[in-house]
Amino acid sequence: TQMELHTQGRQKFMEFPFVSAPHRELMVDLVSTVEDRLGSQLLPCTLPPDIQHCQNQNGTAQASLHIRSAHDSSTSKVDFILGSWLHFALPTGAALNITSLSAYLNPSTDAPNLVVELIQSSPTSLIFILDLPPRKDPVLYQEYLQTFYENTKLETRRQMLEKLPEVQPYVSSSLYLRCVLSPTAILIRIQTEDSGPERLEEIIKDQLHPVAKEVVGIWVDHCACGEREVEEEEKAYLKKRDQIIKRKTIEIDLGTNFPRLFGPELAGRVLGAIQEVYDR
Amino acid sequence: TQMELHTQGRQKFMEFPFVSAPHRELMVDLVSTVEDRLGSQLLPCTLPPDIQHCQNQNGTAQASLHIRSAHDSSTSKVDFILGSWLHFALPTGAALNITSLSAYLNPSTDAPNLVVELIQSSPTSLIFILDLPPRKDPVLYQEYLQTFYENTKLETRRQMLEKLPEVQPYVSSSLYLRCVLSPTAILIRIQTEDSGPERLEEIIKDQLHPVAKEVVGIWVDHCACGEREVEEEEKAYLKKRDQIIKRKTIEIDLGTNFPRLFGPELAGRVLGAIQEVYDR
């Protein structure tokens, strides 16, 4: 049944089998926080089983994908939430692990979306992205900047993490993604070669987890559940802008990696399934 | 006469009397580059003499302001260019020196504006800002991002400077300014405590000057002199967005410092004179 399909896929997704315990606990906590508050608005994940969890022929690449749309856009502000993890073994013996949670709202509100991503390229190196990407040009709408970025004190969280000695700013190679992110986006690279993997796990547990949990809480309270007035004309603008961002993000995130890792046939079906949710 | 007013003010402005030789040479070269190419389109600077060059009563603060509007918006794409320097002695005996050149285009084109700013807070510490701020939301217009930021290879210049060991990324405290800047904005802090003021002067001469000159050249060729088609509806959008940026920038840049340094009366007249150019 559909519900079994959802439950099995969710279980596999929530295992986060290739990352450290603090990394897994962070992701599980964030997904649970969002589901606890918004779950009653969401449909089960009904992607085919081999798309909810896919792997390549020799088992060096595995991925899990969990997408839940809102069942009623007249009562929910959520468009969909998307969780994923991707693991692939590098020829060097190391592995790359990417885990992410993002949430898109629908045009009944102009409040920001949510993006969390952890990219672990070695046991002592992690890229951490946490942001509420704006859904309208913040240059034109100062009330928007004030409401969602200044009043919520997101900058103090960014600065707190930036001050850790192991932290360097991270700059995305995509100019497009740089434009999509907010002025308080947390984009950092954490490197603990000198003190080992335990220190990285400690930073995930003691620093990243509480900040991510707080920011996700802000997003749920002020964005997914906050009241905003949006005029008809503006809805068309939000719909268009969201659509462009979704299309570009999938192109940048998955368009290059997936065909290489999983072959063109499976990659094509995965991208198609995501695209279908995006275009709904 | 008006021409004498311009010539005298320009002479004082181009002296940059409080900064090091390489810093002065950089500024003079950039202003000259812009004037050589666009000067024939520009009116003389006709601000009153005590606004073109102002100082406070005890002489601890001095500033020079040079603004030239285009004389014919039907043939020129330039709205105005604005050059300035500001010097003030700190109670510690040190001094703060800010020099800047910015250029705004008019709604006959949607091409980016130009911003160059050097903020020197000690002989071994400098903040350097160099950017072509976009005039429309780059998230919505990918052709714009491609044309002005990818094709012009601005990112390679940013990366080159970022790699110098004395360079750290600089993050503006204003969330608004962060939003106004482009994804390839150069925003760096250079610190040479260990190797002394000579090393900072060397970096200004050998690294910042050539990069700034190149970027100003790109701006003149591709933005101030490039052909772009802009529809009537879009002109209103550009006008509105430019207006908001100008108003906010003046508020952030001068609104707080000037009254404190030069007293409310003189500061009010300076801000009023700039506002008049902005609203024209």
Side-chain angles (χ1 to χ4, degrees), chain A residues 159-180:
Chain A
Q159 287 186 7
M160 216 180 66
L161 294 182
E162 202 192 33
K163 274 178 194 141
L164 295 173
E166 293 90 348
V167 164
Q168 288 287 318
Y170 170 70
V171 181
S172 165
S173 61
S174 159
L175 301 192
Y176 191 78
L177 283 189
R178 292 185 207 172
C179 294
V180 164

Side-chain angles (χ1 to χ4, degrees), chain B residues 112-124:
Chain B
N113 291 326
L114 169 71
V115 171
V116 191
E117 189 162 338
L118 285 82
I119 305 169
Q120 180 142 30
S121 58
S122 94
T124 57

Side-chain angles (χ1 to χ4, degrees), chain A residues 136-142 145 149-150 155 158-159 162 168-169 171-176 178-180 182-185 237 240-241 244-245 247-248 251, chain B residues 136-142 145 149-150 155 158-159 162 168-169 171-176 178-180 182-185 237 240-241 244-245 247-248 251:
Chain A
K136 34 208 272 199
D137 180 6
V139 171
L140 274 178
Y141 303 95
Q142 290 168 57
L145 203 55
Y149 301 96
E150 291 180 357
E155 177 63 3
R158 195 192 67 77
Q159 287 186 7
E162 202 192 33
Q168 288 287 318
V171 181
S172 165
S173 61
S174 159
L175 301 192
Y176 191 78
R178 292 185 207 172
C179 294
V180 164
S182 86
T184 57
Y237 164 85
K240 181 181 166 197
R241 198 174 185 277
I244 293 174
I245 292 175
R247 200 180 324 128
K248 274 297 277 189
E251 182 187 313
Chain B
K136 34 208 271 198
D137 180 7
V139 171
L140 275 178
Y141 303 95
Q142 290 168 57
L145 203 55
Y149 301 97
E150 292 180 357
E155 176 64 2
R158 195 192 68 76
Q159 287 187 9
E162 203 192 33
Q168 288 288 318
V171 181
S172 165
S173 61
S174 159
L175 301 192
Y176 191 78
R178 293 185 205 171
C179 293
V180 164
S182 86
T184 57
Y237 165 84
K240 181 181 166 197
R241 198 174 184 279
I244 292 175
I245 292 176
R247 200 179 324 127
K248 274 297 277 188
E251 183 187 313

Side-chain angles (χ1 to χ4, degrees), chain B residues 86-225:
Chain B
L86 170 65
H87 161 87
F88 63 95
L90 301 169
T92 56
L96 192 75
N97 287 293
I98 304 174
T99 66
S100 79
L101 170 66
S102 45
Y104 288 80
L105 298 177
N106 65 36
S108 69
T109 178
D110 61 1
N113 291 326
L114 169 71
V115 171
V116 191
E117 189 162 338
L118 285 82
I119 305 169
Q120 180 142 30
S121 58
S122 94
T124 57
S125 176
L126 180 81
I127 291 163
F128 180 62
I129 300 169
L130 174 64
D131 193 32
L132 309 188
R135 290 174 64 218
K136 34 208 271 198
D137 180 7
V139 171
L140 275 178
Y141 303 95
Q142 290 168 57
E143 171 272 339
Y144 195 80
L145 203 55
Q146 183 81 42
T147 303
F148 293 112
Y149 301 97
E150 292 180 357
N151 296 351
T152 51
K153 308 239 183 307
L154 288 172
E155 176 64 2
T156 57
R157 277 100 181 174
R158 195 192 68 76
Q159 287 187 9
M160 215 180 66
L161 294 182
E162 203 192 33
K163 274 178 195 142
L164 294 172
E166 293 91 347
V167 164
Q168 288 288 318
Y170 170 72
V171 181
S172 165
S173 61
S174 159
L175 301 192
Y176 191 78
L177 283 189
R178 293 185 205 171
C179 293
V180 164
L181 297 175
S182 86
T184 57
I186 294 173
L187 268 151
I188 53 177
R189 182 192 297 272
I190 305 150
Q191 286 181 296
T192 64
E193 275 87 356
D194 299 340
S195 35
E198 304 74 29
R199 176 64 184 141
L200 183 57
E201 295 187 17
E202 194 176 272
I203 292 174
I204 294 174
K205 181 167 181 284
D206 297 341
Q207 313 288 340
L208 306 190
H209 192 148
V211 168
K213 175 116 182 181
E214 249 188 326
V215 172
V216 168
I218 290 171
W219 179 78
V220 171
D221 290 339
H222 292 80
C223 304
C225 301

